[in-house]
Amino acid sequence: MTKRSETEAWPLVFFTPRTQSLPATVPFVGPEALERRLGRPFRARLGANESVFGPSPRVLEAMAEAAHGSWAYGDPEQHALREAIAAKLGLTAAHVTVGEGIDGLFGLLAQLTLDPGDAVVTSLGAYPTFNYHVSGHGGCLDFVPYRDDREDLDALAERARTLRPKLVYLANPDNPTGSWHTADEIRAFAQGVPPETLVVLDEAYSDLAPAEALPPNDWLSPNVLRFRTFSKAHGMAGVRVAYVFGEPETVRQFDKVRNHFGVSRMAQAGALAAMADEGYLAEVVSRIVRARGILGDIARGAGLEPLPSATNFVAIDCGRDGDFARRVLEGVLAEGVFIRMPGVAPLDRLIRVTVGRDDELEMFAQALGRSLEAARS
Ligand SMILES: Cc1ncc(COP(=O)(O)O)c(C=O)c1O
């Protein structure tokens, strides 16, 4: 074997030119990294759209039980979980694939669909992890602006008809704005997209969406995939489990590349228990709706405008430009309250605050008041 000194650069030619051209980055800087930078833990964690209300006690029990069996791989076909999801959807297990969060499924989708240079259409400022995976597989992102702080379905479909991209992305309800479209609008949008374009319908917040926002589960088309997660209302973001459903032949493609043991025994058992505990889900949803109302009041009380939300967060319009909103955000962070904001104009007028418990919302209110005063002066 050739010996090299440690200081001599290795020609890392085994990485593809695409890999070498990519920045080593994460789509979101995690709150843990921010805490390390700040040198202290946050007092309230209201920035990652997790559920502070946590998983159902039954989920915790099921996962603790499954932990004993963790010496064994999980079922690579996730049979019981897929059956349970399918039963809830009124579909069959062949319509469903389970993965390590929607984020993990997006990575697989990019791998399955994109050759370098392939076009992908999304909205400017929409969910960045999708973009991250597209770029990682050499896709070329094309951005359509939001209109009135909502994804512009007509413009997205129009762009898809012009570019004929491999994928067009749409989150309903949307992150970072919290807005939503009706099921009829979503269906009209999908019908307006060319058949060679796959509609990536991200329904991460479906449990929090009004019923009229969700097309019926049996609305299926070979070029539509719908992604849902246990990370939000089910309070299991750290477990990493989500699913995608659609026409069996489209869904089956995931079996060609997925990480078969990627969803652990504990994750499968936890998600199964979560599906069975509808009472807990309903209780959490009502707590989120209540906390959303409080966040709206906090924003209005501070002279800011909360955007309507069908999610577990509220986007608050700071009323000026991105620099002003960033100053407000920095001030809130410095007070030990973790929140986030979109990175691009015009959405960067907004700060995005995930719902929390009453005491955490109060901490945010106090921090926001002080931060606004400083930012305005
Ligand atoms: C729109 C959207 N999609 C996907 C995700 C990630 O979901 P998961 O935790 O299942 O990867 C999020 C999380 O914030 C999100 O807001």
Side-chain angles (χ1 to χ4, degrees), residues 48-49 101-103 127 169 171 175 202 204-205 229 231-232 240-242:
N49 300 345
I102 292 180
D103 291 353
Y127 188 60
Y169 174 87
N175 176 13
D202 183 346
Y205 299 95
T229 184
S231 296
K232 305 298 171 189
R240 310 311 299 134
V241 56

Side-chain angles (χ1 to χ4, degrees), residues 46 51-54 287 290-291 355-362:
L46 306 178
S51 174
V52 294
F53 306 118
R287 291 176 81 175
R290 176 180 167 276
V355 304
R357 292 188 198 84
D358 288 357
D359 58 328
E360 295 164 320
L361 297 179
E362 183 51 34

Side-chain angles (χ1 to χ4, degrees), residues 27-28 103-104 106-107 126-134:
F28 291 104
D103 291 353
F106 281 166
Y127 188 60
T129 311
F130 174 75
N131 303 353
Y132 167 83
H133 286 301
V134 167

Side-chain angles (χ1 to χ4, degrees), residues 204-274:
Y205 299 95
S206 59
D207 294 313
L208 298 155
E212 63 267 32
L214 301 176
N217 296 329
D218 62 0
W219 168 64
L220 298 168
S221 168
N223 74 328
V224 176
L225 284 174
R226 298 167 71 177
F227 294 77
R228 295 192 180 171
T229 184
F230 291 87
S231 296
K232 305 298 171 189
H234 287 290
M236 298 171 65
V239 180
R240 310 311 299 134
V241 56
Y243 59 94
V244 51
F245 71 100
E247 279 286 7
E249 190 51 28
T250 310
V251 167
R252 202 175 66 80
Q253 305 305 313
F254 284 86
D255 285 335
K256 299 177 179 176
V257 294
R258 71 191 172 85
N259 180 11
H260 288 81
F261 298 118
V263 183
S264 71
R265 289 179 91 81
M266 285 172 68
Q268 293 187 39
L272 197 54

Side-chain angles (χ1 to χ4, degrees), residues 12-25 116-117 132 134-140:
L12 301 178
V13 287
F14 28 78
F15 292 114
T16 64
R18 181 176 73 254
T19 303
Q20 296 190 46
S21 75
L22 289 169
T25 181
Y132 167 83
V134 167
S135 303
H137 288 275
C140 286

